[in-house]
Structures are given as C-alpha cells and as structure tokens.
Amino acid sequence: MPKSLQLPSGYHELLQELKGRIRTAQVRAGLAVSRELVLLYWSIGRDLSQRFATEGWGSKINERLASDLQAEFPGVEGFSPRNFRYMRALAEAWPEPEILQSLIAKLPWGHNLRVLDRIKDRPTREWYLRAALEYGWSQDVLVLQIKSRLHEREGKALTNFQRELPPPESDMAEQILKDPYNFDFLTVTEAAKEREIERGLLIHLRDLLLELGRGFSFVGSQVPLTVDGQTFYIDLLFYHVRLHRYFVFELKVGAFQPEHAGKLGFYLVAVNRTMRTPVEGPSIGVLLCESRSGPIVEFALETINQPIGVSTYHVTRELPAPMQEELPTVEDLEEVVNKLRTEIETLRREPGDEG
C-alpha cells in the first residue's frame, strides 16, 4: 500500500468510536422526533376535542381536515380521518400536560394507540405504558402482555419473601414473580410428565424468557448438584441480572404438595453452597404447579427458611386422540366450503321461478 494511503495508528479505534457516537445520536434524534410527534398529535387532539364539544362540529370535519392538510403537506403520513380520531382520544384520555410530558410523550405513537385501543380504564392504561417504558417493550410485546393480562398476574405468587428476604429485596422479588404463568405457547398431551413439559419450554426458550420477564438469563436445565456423592438435578436454573442471584425453578404436574417445598429448599441450600459467589444474593426458588391450595402453601412455606414462591401455570392441552378423530380436518372443512360456494353460484345462474 502506498504510504499516502496507509492508515495512521489509532484510526480504527477512532472509527469505531465515531460509529458508536453516530448511532447514539441517531437514536436520540429518533426519540426526539417521536416525542415531538406525540406532542403535536396531542395538541391537535386537544383543539379538536374542544371544538367538537363547544361548537358542535361533526365527524365529517375529520375528512375535510385530512384532505386539506394532505394537500398542504403531500407525502406526510399521519393526517388521516382515523388518526384524527386517535388524536382526540389521546387528548381526552390524558388531558393533563404533566403526565403527557412524563409518560405519554416518552413512548412512540404506536404504543399509545395499542393501549388506547385495547384498554378502557385509565389506571390500567398507565400501568402498561409505565411497564413498556421501563422494560423497553416493542409494540408486539406490549400487545402480547396486554392479551395475557399481565397486570393481574404480576406479584401474585404465594411466597415467604417478606420473612426470608430483607426489604426492599423482598418487594422486588415478589413483583418479579407471576401467578399464573402463561405457557399457552406450549401444547402438550393431557398425560404429559414434568420432563415433557420441561423439554417443550426449552424448545420455546425465547417465549419462556419473555413470559418470565426482563432480567432473567437462562443457565441450564437438569443442572446437576452433587452433595456427599449423590447427584440431584435442578429442572430449570436462571440467573437474574438485576437482583444478582440464581432462581431455581421446579416444575410439577398436578397440585402443589408440601414435600415439593422441602425438596426445593434443599436445592437452594446446595446452590448457595456450591455455585453462589460472595457478591451474589441468596438464591430464590420458584415452584410451578398446575394448581395449589393457599392454606397448604402457607403452612408448607412456614417451615422453610429459604425464599420460595409458588405459582401456577397454564399450558395448551391437546385433545384426546379419540376426540381428534371425530373432529373434521382442515381439508374436510375446505371441501364443505368449496361445495357450498359451488351450489350458491349455481343457484345465482339459474333463472327465477316465473310460474
């Protein structure tokens, strides 16, 4: 390479630094544009709402306004009759400028639309918007969490955390757990065993991590623990990067039994003795059962001096084979539909009864 084309020392380091700086600036610019767009839409919606209320404007004004603004700003998206209705809905849902600045404008327009469309009461809307902002949910993830009614499940596990963990760690750990867990992405037979469900969860690991929530990192399944020459196996082991501790998940088919808590407590002691480092907090156990009795769980956890939570889970159950055989297949249904279409077309072509 000619000397004039040789790159000076440190050039590649500077190049990488500039690339990172430019990407950061692009993200900030995108966020700024998104924020200004939401603020603009809110202000338009506020004005429209006031005019509709005080001057009796009708819905047809949306079409005329859309036409005039599109003519003035050709190629600019967002000025449609449908979007004007959303602008009004946004302004009427959040009339206070304070919450607009602190929450609503910090999220993209699409996130706000999903919440407006799918949730009617204000407290629940705020709950999902704050969660989306905190955890960085995409629109698809936000919709998924709304469909699964996450706000009704988060923090609902039965635990002994208030006794076994110091505040505020106990409160944080309780909020991390859910009840029930929604594993509907997993389809199993009615007679499925724990290992079959476990294998299914591993196949759908991405969905499992999404359902567990932000902060969980997968460590392994059937993780061996050797104590005094005997080897025991943990169903699912995770590490929580925000709480800096291991989470030991034990999966059970059927109802919770008191002996489940004792076995999980043993696993927690073994993990703390063999895997935990001095900078990490005490490990937490989670029992996942198909059903549980509140009093039985409460009595069982009373005797355990390790932090344990008990939650239920849902899976999609396959129909029994005899029932599956009785149901029509997709091909059968398509054949019936095609036959009906043919008969309808034939009737349309036939002349009417003139008698």
Side-chain angles (χ1 to χ4, degrees):
M1 181 180 294
K3 186 174 182 179
S4 60
L5 296 181
Q6 290 180 351
L7 299 176
S9 175
Y11 172 82
H12 290 291
E13 290 79 3
L14 176 62
L15 178 62
Q16 294 303 317
E17 180 184 344
L18 292 179
K19 287 180 179 179
R21 197 182 304 171
I22 292 170
R23 290 192 184 99
T24 300
Q26 287 175 330
V27 171
R28 289 176 178 171
L31 292 174
V33 170
S34 174
R35 177 183 178 85
E36 291 301 319
L37 187 66
V38 172
L39 292 174
L40 171 64
Y41 286 170
W42 180 87
S43 67
I44 293 175
R46 178 195 56 190
D47 293 344
L48 287 175
S49 181
Q50 292 174 350
R51 299 274 185 169
F52 274 73
T54 60
E55 301 183 22
W57 285 10
S59 60
K60 290 295 183 181
I61 200 67
N62 287 330
E63 283 75 10
R64 176 57 186 269
L65 189 60
S67 176
D68 289 341
L69 288 178
Q70 287 170 357
E72 181 68 22
F73 303 100
V76 177
E77 298 180 356
F79 298 135
S80 66
R82 181 170 179 267
N83 225 26
F84 284 130
R85 288 191 289 271
Y86 276 124
M87 294 176 199
R88 283 184 59 199
L90 182 76
E92 292 169 0
W94 317 104
E96 309 91 342
E98 295 79 15
I99 193 170
L100 173 72
Q101 296 284 348
S102 64
L103 178 60
I104 310 305
K106 290 184 177 181
L107 287 162
W109 177 239
H111 284 63
N112 283 286
L113 296 192
R114 301 299 175 271
V115 169
L116 287 173
D117 269 341
R118 297 172 179 273
I119 305 171
K120 300 308 177 185
D121 64 288
R122 175 164 172 162
T124 307
R125 283 174 170 173
E126 283 191 27
W127 192 94
Y128 280 101
L129 289 173
R130 294 188 189 281
L133 184 61
E134 178 181 358
Y135 298 119
W137 290 341
S138 66
Q139 286 187 40
D140 290 341
V141 172
L142 172 60
V143 170
L144 179 65
Q145 302 292 18
I146 293 173
K147 285 182 177 178
S148 73
R149 305 190 68 82
L150 177 62
H151 68 288
E152 295 179 352
R153 302 185 293 124
E154 191 174 78
K156 297 301 190 294
L158 298 179
T159 76
N160 61 0
F161 293 167
Q162 295 297 326
R163 189 180 74 245
E164 298 299 331
L165 293 173
E169 293 179 7
S170 56
D171 294 334
M172 293 175 60
E174 281 192 348
Q175 286 304 115
I176 285 173
L177 300 190
K178 304 170 185 174
D179 185 50
Y181 281 90
N182 183 9
F183 298 154
D184 284 346
F185 54 83
L186 179 63
T187 302
V188 297
T189 62
E190 191 67 34
K193 305 298 183 183
E194 282 96 347
R195 290 300 299 276
E196 183 179 343
I197 296 177
E198 180 187 323
R199 285 194 293 269
L201 291 175
L202 294 178
I203 292 173
H204 297 85
L205 185 57
R206 178 183 176 277
D207 297 308
L208 173 59
L209 287 171
L210 181 61
E211 175 62 11
L212 292 182
R214 190 173 183 179
F216 280 99
S217 177
F218 179 66
V219 177
S221 65
Q222 293 301 305
V223 178
L225 290 173
T226 302
V227 179
D228 194 27
Q230 296 187 55
T231 302
F232 305 86
Y233 295 90
I234 296 173
D235 285 346
L236 296 166
L237 184 62
F238 293 85
Y239 189 85
H240 201 279
V241 297
R242 299 179 71 181
L243 291 182
H244 301 290
R245 64 187 69 211
Y246 288 103
F247 273 71
V248 178
F249 280 75
E250 279 294 294
L251 188 65
K252 300 298 179 184
V253 170
F256 170 83
Q257 300 298 326
E259 55 267 27
H260 296 162
K263 186 176 182 181
L264 182 53
F266 169 81
Y267 287 163
L268 291 174
V269 173
V271 169
N272 288 335
R273 296 280 184 88
T274 62
M275 302 177 65
R276 175 190 170 195
T277 66
V279 299
E280 293 166 340
S283 302
I284 292 176
V286 183
L287 272 166
L288 297 177
C289 308
E290 289 189 283
S291 62
R292 52 142 171 89
S293 160
I296 293 176
V297 172
E298 180 183 350
F299 288 4
L301 295 186
E302 188 71 26
T303 65
I304 305 296
N305 59 1
Q306 300 294 325
I308 290 177
V310 179
S311 295
T312 57
Y313 65 89
H314 293 160
V315 295
T316 301
R317 292 291 186 180
E318 290 181 346
L319 292 173
M323 188 176 296
Q324 289 184 10
E325 294 174 359
E326 294 297 325
L327 293 176
T329 65
V330 174
E331 291 76 13
D332 293 335
L333 293 175
E334 288 179 347
E335 183 179 347
V336 172
V337 171
N338 290 333
K339 185 177 180 180
L340 288 173
R341 286 175 177 169
T342 302
E343 292 177 356
I344 291 172
E345 290 298 323
T346 302
L347 290 173
R348 285 177 176 173
R349 296 191 191 98
E350 292 178 353
D353 185 0
E354 299 177 359

